[in-house]
């Protein structure tokens, strides 16, 4: 039952797909039969109509397919088309002549004697040329419809590209507008910091310094978004100095030594590496022991940039962001410098938390800047 339903569904789909062809052939066969009966008074048998129209319909579609194959590639079209025409006519002539002989000899479908061979060949050639002519028109019609559909598809695709381009231009305009707003907001913030700094400078110089440090650090953080992913190492060292000075004002006595070599000013590094190390010290380090000061050293040696830090850890560990800052540095170094950067961190034999970063100078981005003398900050 299911197989019957499946076959019925396939037949319905086939009839729907080729309904125009079926209607056209039915109308043609009916028209031609009526014309032959009316003008010649000849009425053929059903078998005669079925066999010969089957051959003619096969000729029609086969020739159109062969033309399509012959013209698929421009090379050799001049000799391919005549070859297709001649071979198709000869094949059609042989099939029809042979079928007529067999039908006349073994069936009653073609009653009476067959005409002479010359007459039969003439009729077959005429009949074959008739269907080849219509088949050629069918081929050009299919080609026209296909090219029109392809042109329509290209136009739709081009229209879609234009829509996407217009959409991208609108998004770009919106991005530029958002960028302009983002530029305005930091300026407003910095101007506010400057206003508060001027007001506090007279009444509370220490608080005024806090505003100054904050303003400088915020300006640095904002600038890192527009520097192609790198900052001058000397600039970040200056921000570390600001952060140390800021904590010194807010927390009192803290003991950190920040030392940098004299040849770092032309080196550019991914931003916030030093600041993250320093921030990790403030979160998780014991910075109140004058005999065991925390240290950060930045220098170059043997063709590599070295960043080393050492500090006592707190007895009670801070649970806020524990370890995430160091993981972030490690991942960013791996992404930016791959095998050219190494990082190790852990507790040494003396109980100090130590961190060592080594990066090949050849992998670092450099830019000429004015060099400063070696500096050591004691806070």
């Amino acid at each position: 039952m299911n197989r019957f339903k499946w076959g019925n569904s396939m037949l319905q789909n086939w009839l729907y797909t080729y309904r125009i062809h079926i209607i056209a052939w039915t109308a043609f066969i009916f028209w031609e039969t009526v014309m032959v009966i009316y003008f010649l008074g000849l009425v053929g048998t059903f078998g005669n109509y079925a066999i010969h129209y089957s051959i003619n319909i096969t000729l029609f579609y086969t020739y159109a397919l062969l033309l399509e194959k012959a013209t698929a590639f421009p090379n050799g079209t001049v000799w391919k088309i005549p070859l297709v025409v001649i071979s198709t006519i000869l094949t059609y002539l042989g099939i029809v002549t042979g079928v007529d002989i067999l039908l006349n000899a073994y069936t009653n479908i073609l009653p009476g004697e067959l005409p002479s061979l010359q007459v039969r060949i003439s009729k077959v050639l005429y009949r074959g040329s008739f269907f080849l002519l219509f088949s050629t028109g069918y081929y050009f019609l299919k080609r026209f419809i296909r090219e029109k559909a392809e042109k329509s598809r290209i136009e739709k695709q081009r229209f879609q590209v234009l829509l996407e381009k217009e959409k991208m231009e609108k998004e770009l305009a919106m991005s530029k507008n958002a960028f302009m707003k983002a530029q305005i907001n930091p300026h407003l913030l910095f101007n506010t910091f400057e206003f508060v700094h001027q007001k506090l400078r007279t009444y509370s110089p220490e608080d005024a310094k806090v505003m100054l440090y904050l303003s400088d650090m915020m300006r640095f953080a904002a600038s890192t978004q527009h520097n192609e992913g790198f900052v001058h190492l000397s600039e970040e060292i200056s921000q570390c100095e600001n952060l140390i000075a800021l904590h010194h004002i807010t927390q009192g006595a803290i003991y950190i030594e920040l030392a940098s070599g004299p040849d770092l000013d032309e080196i550019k590094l991914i931003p916030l590496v030093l600041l993250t190390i320093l921030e990790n010290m403030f979160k998780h380090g014991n910075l109140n022991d004058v005999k065991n000061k925390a240290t950060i050293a930045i220098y170059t040696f043997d063709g590599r940039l070295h960043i080393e830090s050492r500090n006592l850890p707190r007895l009670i560990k801070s649970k806020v962001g524990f370890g995430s800052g160091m993981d972030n540095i490690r991942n960013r170094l791996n992404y930016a410098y791959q095998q050219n950067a190494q990082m190790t961190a852990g507790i040494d034999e003396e109980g100090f938390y130590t961190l060592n970063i080594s990066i090949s100078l050849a992998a670092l981005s450099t830019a000429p800047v004015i060099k400063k003398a070696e500096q050591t900050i004691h806070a």
Side-chain angles (χ1 to χ4, degrees):
M1 188 67 180
N2 291 332
R3 186 173 297 178
F4 174 77
K5 289 183 178 180
W6 177 80
N8 189 37
S9 176
M10 291 288 292
L11 178 61
Q12 289 179 356
N13 291 335
W14 184 85
L15 291 174
Y16 180 79
T17 302
Y18 296 100
R19 62 190 185 280
I20 297 178
H21 294 258
I22 296 172
I23 294 172
W25 280 111
T26 302
F28 172 77
I29 294 173
F30 177 78
W31 173 83
E32 192 174 47
T33 302
V34 170
M35 292 296 104
V36 170
I37 294 174
Y38 180 78
F39 288 102
L40 301 178
L42 298 177
V43 180
T45 62
F46 176 79
N48 183 20
Y49 285 124
I51 293 174
H52 285 87
Y53 273 114
S54 297
I55 296 174
N56 293 331
I57 292 172
T58 303
L59 170 68
F60 179 89
Y61 289 110
T62 302
Y63 180 70
L65 179 62
L66 292 175
L67 275 183
E68 188 174 343
K69 298 294 184 181
T71 57
F73 301 98
N75 296 335
T77 303
V78 175
W79 63 266
K80 286 180 182 178
I81 293 179
L83 179 62
V84 167
V85 173
I86 295 172
S87 60
T88 304
I89 284 290
L90 291 178
T91 303
Y92 177 75
L93 177 62
I95 292 174
V96 173
T97 303
V99 168
D100 286 346
I101 293 173
L102 292 175
L103 291 178
N104 185 68
Y106 299 102
T107 68
N108 295 323
I109 293 176
L110 296 177
E113 294 294 329
L114 290 176
S116 64
L117 181 61
Q118 183 178 0
V119 173
R120 278 185 286 155
I121 291 175
S122 300
K123 288 184 176 180
V124 171
L125 289 177
Y126 168 77
R127 191 68 169 165
S129 301
F130 177 82
F131 282 102
L132 288 189
L133 180 64
F134 278 98
S135 180
T136 303
Y138 171 71
Y139 159 74
F140 281 109
L141 178 62
K142 278 185 61 178
R143 183 172 178 177
F144 171 76
I145 293 174
R146 185 169 59 248
E147 291 177 352
K148 186 177 180 181
E150 180 66 15
K151 184 178 179 180
S152 178
R153 186 190 66 81
I154 294 174
E155 288 295 327
K156 288 181 180 179
Q157 187 176 10
R158 180 172 172 271
F159 181 69
Q160 188 66 29
V161 170
L162 291 176
L163 286 179
E164 291 293 333
K165 182 179 179 181
E166 183 179 358
K167 182 180 178 181
M168 290 178 62
E169 289 177 352
K170 288 183 179 179
E171 290 178 353
L172 179 61
M174 293 174 64
S175 299
K176 289 180 178 179
N177 187 36
F179 176 70
M180 294 300 294
K181 291 180 180 178
Q183 283 186 314
I184 294 172
N185 292 337
H187 286 306
L188 179 62
L189 180 63
F190 299 144
N191 290 338
T192 303
F193 277 147
E194 180 63 23
F195 174 77
V196 176
H197 171 257
Q198 294 297 335
K199 289 293 182 181
L200 289 176
R201 188 171 58 177
T202 304
Y203 305 102
S204 179
E206 290 297 315
D207 291 338
K209 287 182 180 179
V210 171
M211 299 303 300
L212 194 61
Y213 294 144
L214 283 175
S215 177
D216 195 16
M217 292 174 65
M218 290 292 293
R219 197 180 301 275
F220 171 77
S223 67
T224 58
Q225 299 178 4
H226 312 292
N227 54 18
E228 298 180 354
F230 299 95
V231 295
H232 286 98
L233 192 56
S234 58
E235 294 179 2
E236 187 153 341
I237 292 174
S238 298
Q239 299 311 313
C240 289
E241 297 170 7
N242 288 340
L243 186 58
I244 292 173
L246 183 61
H247 278 267
H248 181 67
I249 294 173
T250 57
Q251 298 182 15
I254 56 173
Y255 302 97
I256 299 178
E257 290 186 355
L258 174 63
S260 58
D263 54 350
L264 304 177
D265 290 338
E266 63 183 28
I267 295 177
K268 297 180 76 175
L269 184 69
I270 56 174
L272 306 180
V273 172
L274 297 179
L275 284 171
T276 304
I277 295 172
L278 187 57
E279 180 188 10
N280 193 67
M281 279 187 172
F282 287 123
K283 283 184 178 180
H284 309 294
N286 179 8
L287 308 180
N288 303 115
D289 190 342
V290 67
K291 294 181 180 180
N292 297 292
K293 297 179 180 180
T295 61
I296 299 178
I298 309 103
Y299 61 94
T300 59
F301 176 73
D302 198 20
R304 302 184 72 85
L305 171 69
H306 297 272
I307 302 174
E308 300 174 353
S309 71
R310 185 173 183 267
N311 64 275
L312 281 174
R314 287 184 181 180
L315 295 179
I316 301 176
K317 294 182 179 180
S318 173
K319 296 182 180 180
V320 179
F322 183 71
S324 60
M326 297 301 100
D327 291 339
N328 179 268
I329 291 177
R330 190 188 308 276
N331 293 334
R332 293 173 61 223
L333 288 174
N334 288 337
Y335 180 79
Y337 306 112
Q338 290 85 39
Q339 71 277 5
N340 294 305
Q342 287 83 40
M343 173 178 166
T344 58
I347 304 296
D348 64 9
E349 296 177 353
E350 299 179 357
F352 284 84
Y353 178 83
T354 62
L355 181 142
N356 295 278
I357 295 175
S358 174
I359 308 173
S360 171
L361 291 177
L364 293 171
S365 178
T366 59
V369 296
I370 301 176
K371 294 185 178 181
K372 298 190 295 184
E374 182 177 357
Q375 52 187 347
T376 301
I377 308 299
H378 300 276

